[in-house]
Amino acid sequence: MLSRKAREAVKTALAMTIAYGIALSLDWDRPYWAGFAVAFVSLATIGQSMNKATLRMLGTLVAMVVALTLIALFAQQRWLFILTLSAYAGFCCYMMSGSKHAYFWQVAAFVVVIICMDAGADPVNAFNTATLRAQQTGLGILVYSLIAIFLWPSSSRADFEAATVKLASIQQQFYRACLALANGKGDAGEAQSLKAQTIQAQTHFSQLLDAALGDSYEVRESSQAWQLYQQQAAELAEILELWREGFAEVEALDLQHLLPNLDAFSDELDSRLGQITRMLGGDTLEQAPQTMPLSLDKDALSNLSHFKRAALVVTRQRMLHLEQLTRSLLEVVYELKGPGTASASAEAPAATRVLLPDLDRLANVVRYIAIIWLAWLALIYVNGIPGGVGVVSFAGALGIAIANMPQLPVSKLFKPAATSVLFAAVLYIFVMPQLSSFMGLGPLIFAATFVICYLYADPRQMLGRALGLAMFVVIASISNEQTYNFLSVANTAMMFPLIFLILAITAYIPVSPRPERAFLRLLERYFRSSEYLMSTLRWDPAHTATPLERWKKAFHEREVAMLPVKLDSWAPHLDSWVLTDTSADQVQTLVTRLQSLSNRMQQLLRERNTPQAPLLIENLLTDLQAWRKGVQNTFLQLSENPATGEQRALRTRLTDTVNHMEQRIAETMDKATAEQLSDRDEENFYRLLGAYRGMSEALVDFTETAGVIDWAPWREERFV
């Protein structure tokens, strides 16, 4: 019995051979384009392959129209032509980074470059080239699709169902770890590990959901319910993390006394999460979920300080949110796995879209446009450049992938590229001239494709697999009128050092690619955005925000929310041999603290928008302004230097401010009447106080973590 990776290699090799055979029998020019389609749409399951094939075909059709339009408009104006072409490619590059269908935008960009370069300024040749590209791509996709369906079909449904059970199980474990921490019996390290596992499980679930929607009728029929489940599962993970982060504020409180039915409430949530896991595994619903209250001992609450009341109110609010989410999740799972069919009316709420630029995606665009322009200028001004127009075509195809992976050093491409060129060159020079018909060529195509796919079967080796197949297809240059010339191989081999040189030069456009420098830039942006957001927390009822101010606030809110994730993507690429005094654990702890600070900032912004009693604001305005200005100044200092050296002073200053605020709050509330201050006003203000307190604690935690790191080597100049 063949292993799974052998079967997948056989399917790809067979599809490659048949696609070449059909293209050659029909006497189509450039049959290697069909080979490219087979090489790049072949994935582990039918659903994943069909999704990628669909995106490749749609991207090719869009590129065909755009390329013909550009050639028709600017056939005699080469500078205006390359300017428009690079602008379009840059737009696709920007859309690729933030799109669920990134591969569509990638294909729509580089296929335009390929068609335009191959076609030249001849409209007739351009049309023939564009249609040929489309039909060859369609042929490769059709052949691989039929083979994937009829030969060892591998549906993603089983993997998807296993991923859903795994996600639900890990979320239940994460909940139990958080609950143990709340009771003072848990392990913070275990909870952090389970959080990371939850994120990985969510990513895997999302990928397999897209694939299952393509190859499973049952999943596709329930697509809206599954998407709702995906959204609510992500929200559950977020609330669990916020709940965990708030334990430090309530660890000194007797929660069992303050929340009398806490044990029953916690057991109910755990039972629901267990039922979700079992139902996703095929069991039936044990009992219908009922709304579970979380009672509060108001007499005991009145004996607490105001900030402790605020912390308890916030913690209880998050637990009630967990109750609502688990109940809703259980209802969705019942619709999906219950005795009837899943509800087709379940819809996830649509997100409000605001046009907010992403600075990192813009940097990727600048780099990609620079890649295209350098390749274009080299083609024009370097006589006899190896590869000719192929330099621009390959730079356009490879550049968009590299530009959107700034963490990947160009040097990582050298070894797989050189190995691929050598392998393909040996076949081209020593084996292919001995073949006289497709009866000999077909087995060679099959064997070469099988070897590459089998040796690079691991998902982490996708780069080597892609380069291996691409080099074989390009260097072999299989056609009905086959000719052999060593210079053809030499030109192709010499073209890649030039392309890598272009990639290496543009790696510094617009900013340095060194991971530590990128890390520092993102940190600076994070704290400048945080400083701006703090400046928007002024209590000024007479001021109405302008549209520009609202847009800037939305932009900086998105920056604060997303930058910790981007920092986390850079952290594994930091050079340990350069940052000798900084460990990977320290960097990871720093990123975790920053994520916690982001959560607190978002919580503060939400609570700041809730209605507050005028009496409280009037009496506490001076203290709130003092707190805001102090934190704002700290953010400004951190943007200039992450290690401010004032951790103790900051903790003392914030603690003193918070304590003074608490005294003023007590005085104000003691004097207030029921007409001046309702229960709702108190609850809203307690939540706001909890946000202030949490923000202060998270900021101190970050500065203490940053103070341990030696930042001097991060700024040192060095050659790479």
Side-chain angles (χ1 to χ4, degrees):
M1 183 66 179
L2 293 177
S3 64
R4 179 168 182 173
K5 74 174 185 177
R7 292 198 301 268
E8 294 302 320
V10 167
K11 287 160 63 174
T12 304
L14 184 59
M16 182 79 77
T17 306
I18 294 175
Y20 265 111
I22 294 175
L24 291 172
S25 66
L26 295 175
D27 199 23
W28 285 356
D29 195 16
R30 295 185 177 92
Y32 55 82
W33 280 348
F36 272 126
V38 172
F40 291 112
V41 303
S42 55
L43 293 174
T45 66
I46 296 175
Q48 291 173 317
S49 298
M50 292 302 99
N51 282 342
K52 195 169 185 181
T54 301
L55 295 177
R56 187 177 182 91
M57 193 69 240
L58 291 175
T60 300
L61 294 175
V62 169
M64 173 183 170
V65 174
V66 173
L68 293 176
T69 303
L70 292 178
I71 292 173
L73 292 175
F74 309 112
Q76 304 301 321
Q77 300 171 311
R78 66 180 184 182
W79 295 113
L80 192 56
F81 166 77
I82 192 61
L83 179 65
T84 309
L85 173 62
S86 58
Y88 166 78
F91 169 76
C92 291
C93 181
Y94 185 88
M95 298 301 295
M96 175 184 170
S97 301
S99 173
K100 181 180 178 181
H101 306 299
Y103 191 61
F104 164 80
W105 293 105
Q106 181 180 355
V107 173
F110 75 75
V111 171
V112 164
V113 178
I114 291 173
I115 293 176
C116 289
M117 292 301 106
D118 281 4
D122 184 354
V124 175
N125 186 37
F127 180 79
N128 292 335
T129 301
T131 54
L132 182 63
R133 178 79 187 196
Q135 71 183 25
Q136 294 278 25
T137 299
L139 171 64
I141 289 173
L142 177 62
V143 170
Y144 182 80
S145 300
L146 292 175
I147 289 177
I149 291 172
F150 293 110
L151 182 63
W152 298 310
S154 178
S155 172
S156 58
R157 184 179 177 186
D159 292 338
F160 171 68
E161 291 178 344
T164 60
V165 174
K166 182 178 180 180
L167 173 59
S169 176
I170 291 177
Q171 286 192 322
Q172 183 181 20
Q173 295 176 49
F174 187 30
Y175 167 77
R176 288 176 174 175
C178 292
L179 184 61
L181 285 174
N183 294 328
K185 303 175 183 178
D187 182 354
E190 179 187 6
Q192 187 65 30
S193 174
L194 286 168
K195 174 197 171 186
Q197 293 179 43
T198 301
I199 294 173
Q200 294 173 358
Q202 285 177 306
T203 303
H204 189 51
F205 169 82
S206 298
Q207 293 171 345
L208 288 174
L209 174 59
D210 290 338
L213 289 172
D215 64 16
S216 172
Y217 173 77
E218 292 81 0
V219 177
R220 186 165 57 251
E221 187 182 33
S222 311
S223 60
Q224 292 181 336
W226 277 118
Q227 289 165 359
L228 181 60
Y229 176 84
Q230 179 186 25
Q231 178 224 342
Q232 292 186 344
E235 187 178 356
L236 175 64
E238 179 183 352
I239 295 301
L240 282 172
E241 177 62 13
L242 289 173
W243 181 44
R244 183 181 69 86
E245 289 175 356
F247 290 157
E249 301 165 24
V250 295
E251 61 182 355
L253 301 179
D254 185 357
L255 295 180
Q256 301 288 343
H257 178 60
L258 292 164
L259 305 172
N261 68 330
L262 179 61
D263 288 341
F265 183 89
S266 303
D267 291 343
E268 171 65 18
L269 297 192
D270 184 66
S271 175
R272 291 178 186 177
L273 292 172
Q275 286 187 67
I276 290 172
T277 304
R278 290 189 291 275
M279 287 190 67
L280 289 171
D283 292 349
T284 57
L285 182 65
E286 299 168 7
Q287 60 180 16
Q290 302 294 327
T291 302
M292 183 72 175
L294 181 59
S295 56
L296 178 65
D297 189 333
K298 294 189 177 182
D299 292 334
L301 181 68
S302 62
N303 296 325
L304 299 178
S305 66
H306 290 284
F307 272 101
K308 289 182 179 179
R309 290 187 209 174
L312 181 63
V313 167
V314 171
T315 298
R316 180 172 178 267
Q317 180 189 35
R318 287 173 181 159
M319 295 186 72
L320 290 173
H321 194 171
L322 285 175
E323 189 275 334
Q324 181 270 326
L325 269 177
T326 54
R327 178 160 38 86
S328 180
L329 271 171
L330 191 55
E331 291 170 353
V332 173
V333 172
Y334 180 75
E335 292 178 350
L336 288 165
K337 298 292 184 177
T341 57
S343 171
S345 61
E347 296 184 4
T352 302
R353 292 185 176 273
V354 180
L355 184 60
L356 300 173
D358 187 306
L359 299 182
D360 299 291
R361 291 164 64 184
L362 288 174
N364 297 344
V365 170
V366 171
R367 182 183 180 186
Y368 185 46
I369 291 177
I371 289 171
I372 293 176
W373 271 88
L374 281 180
W376 172 260
L377 293 174
L379 173 66
I380 291 178
Y381 292 109
V382 179
N383 291 328
I385 187 172
V389 295
V391 171
V392 185
S393 298
F394 271 96
L398 190 57
I400 190 169
I402 298 301
N404 281 285
M405 294 187 292
Q407 297 89 349
L408 177 67
V410 177
S411 58
K412 295 288 186 181
L413 300 175
F414 294 164
K415 183 177 179 179
T419 304
S420 303
V421 169
L422 180 61
F423 175 74
V426 169
L427 294 178
Y428 178 84
I429 295 172
F430 297 105
V431 180
M432 289 181 62
Q434 312 304 319
L435 307 177
S436 59
S437 68
F438 193 77
M439 295 300 293
L441 179 63
L444 174 66
I445 296 173
F446 182 93
T449 305
F450 177 85
V451 168
I452 294 171
C453 293
Y454 187 82
L455 294 178
Y456 294 95
D458 192 286
R460 292 171 295 183
Q461 298 175 305
M462 288 299 294
L463 179 61
R465 180 179 184 274
L467 283 174
L469 292 173
M471 290 304 97
F472 169 70
V473 168
V474 170
I475 292 178
S477 299
I478 297 171
S479 65
N480 276 322
E481 298 180 2
Q482 187 73 32
T483 58
Y484 300 98
N485 189 341
F486 175 77
L487 290 179
S488 175
V489 178
N491 277 334
T492 303
M494 292 174 63
M495 176 178 64
F496 280 93
L498 177 60
I499 292 175
F500 288 146
L501 177 61
I502 292 173
L503 295 178
I505 292 173
T506 55
Y508 290 85
I509 299 174
V511 288
S512 170
R514 287 169 48 183
E516 63 272 18
R517 289 298 180 86
F519 201 93
L520 287 174
R521 282 195 304 272
L522 294 178
L523 271 181
E524 179 183 353
R525 278 172 47 195
Y526 177 89
F527 287 114
R528 289 197 178 278
S529 291
S530 298
E531 189 267 339
Y532 177 83
L533 290 176
M534 292 305 300
S535 70
T536 66
L537 297 181
R538 299 184 301 270
W539 292 92
D540 186 3
H543 176 73
T544 302
T546 64
L548 178 60
E549 289 174 336
R550 290 195 295 271
W551 181 87
K552 289 177 64 176
K553 184 178 179 181
F555 169 78
H556 289 292
E557 284 181 358
R558 206 268 304 275
E559 285 278 275
V560 167
M562 296 302 299
L563 284 172
V565 179
K566 296 178 180 179
L567 283 163
D568 191 45
S569 70
W570 278 100
H573 299 276
L574 294 169
D575 296 328
S576 57
W577 63 275
V578 174
L579 311 177
T580 53
D581 296 327
T582 303
S583 68
D585 289 341
Q586 287 178 316
V587 174
Q588 191 57 54
T589 301
L590 185 80
V591 174
T592 301
R593 299 289 192 195
L594 199 70
Q595 182 63 66
S596 177
L597 185 59
S598 288
N599 294 337
R600 298 298 189 172
M601 172 69 80
Q602 293 173 63
Q603 177 195 355
L604 176 60
L605 293 172
R606 286 194 300 268
E607 300 300 342
R608 174 64 175 77
N609 290 328
T610 58
Q612 300 296 333
L615 175 66
L616 292 174
I617 300 304
E618 180 181 346
N619 285 275
L620 297 170
L621 183 59
T622 302
D623 299 282
L624 294 174
Q625 288 179 340
W627 182 91
R628 177 184 61 79
K629 290 179 180 178
V631 173
Q632 188 175 344
N633 183 60
T634 301
F635 282 143
L636 186 59
Q637 293 176 7
L638 288 171
S639 68
E640 298 169 354
N641 179 15
T644 61
E646 299 182 357
Q647 291 82 24
R648 293 183 180 178
L650 176 63
R651 180 178 288 277
T652 300
R653 184 169 66 250
L654 289 177
T655 301
D656 290 344
T657 302
V658 167
N659 290 337
H660 187 260
M661 286 174 62
E662 186 168 352
Q663 294 176 2
R664 294 293 306 277
I665 291 167
E667 294 172 0
T668 303
M669 288 189 170
D670 288 342
K671 296 177 181 178
T673 62
E675 291 76 15
Q676 292 175 311
L677 204 60
S678 66
D679 291 342
R680 183 64 175 173
D681 290 332
E682 289 189 8
E683 182 180 346
N684 287 348
F685 198 69
Y686 283 149
R687 291 205 305 268
L688 180 62
L689 289 180
Y692 277 111
R693 176 70 170 269
M695 182 75 178
S696 301
E697 293 292 337
L699 182 55
V700 171
D701 288 343
F702 174 84
T703 55
E704 290 178 346
T705 303
V708 177
I709 296 177
D710 180 12
W711 296 95
W714 297 61
R715 298 184 175 85
E716 291 178 355
E717 297 295 338
R718 62 183 176 88
F719 293 102
V720 294

